[in-house]
Amino acid sequence: QWQDFAHLLATRVNAPETYSAIVEKLVTSLGAERVSLLIYNEESKKLLCKAASGLNHDMVSGPRIGEGIAGVVLERGEPLLVRDLREQAWVAERVHGNASSNSFISFPLVSGGKRLGVINLTDRARQQSFVASDLDWLKLFAPYAAAALERIDLHEKAQRFQLLAITDPLTGLLNRRYLEERFAQEIERSKRYQFPLSFVMMAIDRFKSFNDTFGHQAGDEVLRETAHCIRKSLRNFDVAARYGGEEFIVV
């Protein structure tokens, strides 16, 4: 069954599908009534709910590392099993559910010492409590889920690096180098499909004088606001770039 699950995760085409597949597997295999998958964000140091079953995503809080049940579990790297929530009031107060909640598991997802996220499970069918064998199952499950989460993390980082290489850091528009490559492609596409292509170059009037009078920080704000105005006016298939200085291009 683990090979099938690994194949299922490998064939998911995007992060939301992967998150949902992980949650669905937990629901069907452990019979949990409420499941949440919280992913650790390195920048904010918080856990963010990415998929859930039996819960509204908005209901699932995002504790910081070391805070809340999930935050403490992730920091320690050790799972928490509570067979009867009535005997663990401090856990019961923090578990999303209702008064009939009976048992709870919080399980960290870690790969090579890297914190990836936490799985929370509350209640199971027929009022049965979670037991030690459920933790054993999760220990087999966790490496597959962790590998999928790590793959998503690496893919998103690669996309961010790629985006940084083709965008202007000040305005967020495409940069000149990428625009020149893209423009050549658009010309070829225009020829192939016989549709018109428009090229607009614009510059901010008296920008040097403004910079000299009010300073470069104020000038940067003008550039950012101009880029924002251009971006708001684009259609899905239009391309905008900062050509250099105070010059902008729209194709």
Side-chain angles (χ1 to χ4, degrees), residues 132-151:
S133 60
D134 296 317
L135 287 184
D136 293 336
W137 185 91
L138 283 166
K139 288 175 183 176
L140 296 174
F141 170 86
Y144 296 94
L149 297 182
E150 197 162 30
R151 187 170 60 248

Side-chain angles (χ1 to χ4, degrees), residues 40-61:
Y40 181 58
N41 183 285
E42 293 178 343
E43 295 177 2
S44 66
K45 308 297 182 186
K46 293 186 70 175
L47 283 158
L48 307 176
C49 182
K50 295 295 185 178
S53 176
L55 285 168
N56 185 322
H57 287 210
D58 296 334
M59 292 172 59
V60 184
S61 61

Side-chain angles (χ1 to χ4, degrees), residues 6-176:
H7 177 71
L8 174 68
L9 291 181
T11 56
R12 300 301 91 179
V13 298
N14 56 39
E17 287 188 359
T18 301
Y19 299 145
S20 295
I22 290 172
V23 168
E24 288 170 12
K25 181 69 173 177
L26 292 164
V27 171
T28 56
S29 297
L30 294 183
E33 293 187 0
R34 285 183 282 277
V35 177
S36 59
L37 173 64
L38 282 69
I39 303 300
Y40 181 58
N41 183 285
E42 293 178 343
E43 295 177 2
S44 66
K45 308 297 182 186
K46 293 186 70 175
L47 283 158
L48 307 176
C49 182
K50 295 295 185 178
S53 176
L55 285 168
N56 185 322
H57 287 210
D58 296 334
M59 292 172 59
V60 184
S61 61
R64 289 184 177 275
I65 189 78
E67 298 177 353
I69 297 172
V72 171
V73 164
L74 186 61
E75 183 179 46
R76 294 176 178 174
E78 297 177 358
L80 172 67
L81 166 62
V82 180
R83 291 183 174 85
D84 190 340
L85 282 168
R86 291 169 296 185
E87 298 175 359
Q88 297 281 352
W90 72 276
V91 177
E93 290 174 0
R94 294 165 174 80
V95 172
H96 291 278
N98 51 45
S100 66
S101 296
N102 53 45
S103 62
F104 173 78
I105 290 178
S106 187
F107 197 97
L109 294 172
V110 181
S111 177
K114 181 180 180 182
R115 297 158 174 162
L116 298 172
V118 175
I119 294 166
N120 285 336
L121 304 98
T122 311
D123 291 344
R124 67 194 314 178
R126 299 183 297 278
Q127 297 295 303
Q128 294 180 342
S129 296
F130 293 114
V131 293
S133 60
D134 296 317
L135 287 184
D136 293 336
W137 185 91
L138 283 166
K139 288 175 183 176
L140 296 174
F141 170 86
Y144 296 94
L149 297 182
E150 197 162 30
R151 187 170 60 248
I152 290 171
D153 183 55
L154 290 172
H155 179 67
E156 290 179 346
K157 284 180 178 176
Q159 285 185 316
R160 286 199 294 271
F161 284 133
Q162 183 181 23
L163 189 61
L164 287 173
I166 65 173
T167 55
D168 171 58
L170 178 63
T171 63
L173 295 178
L174 296 171
N175 60 28
R176 174 176 177 172

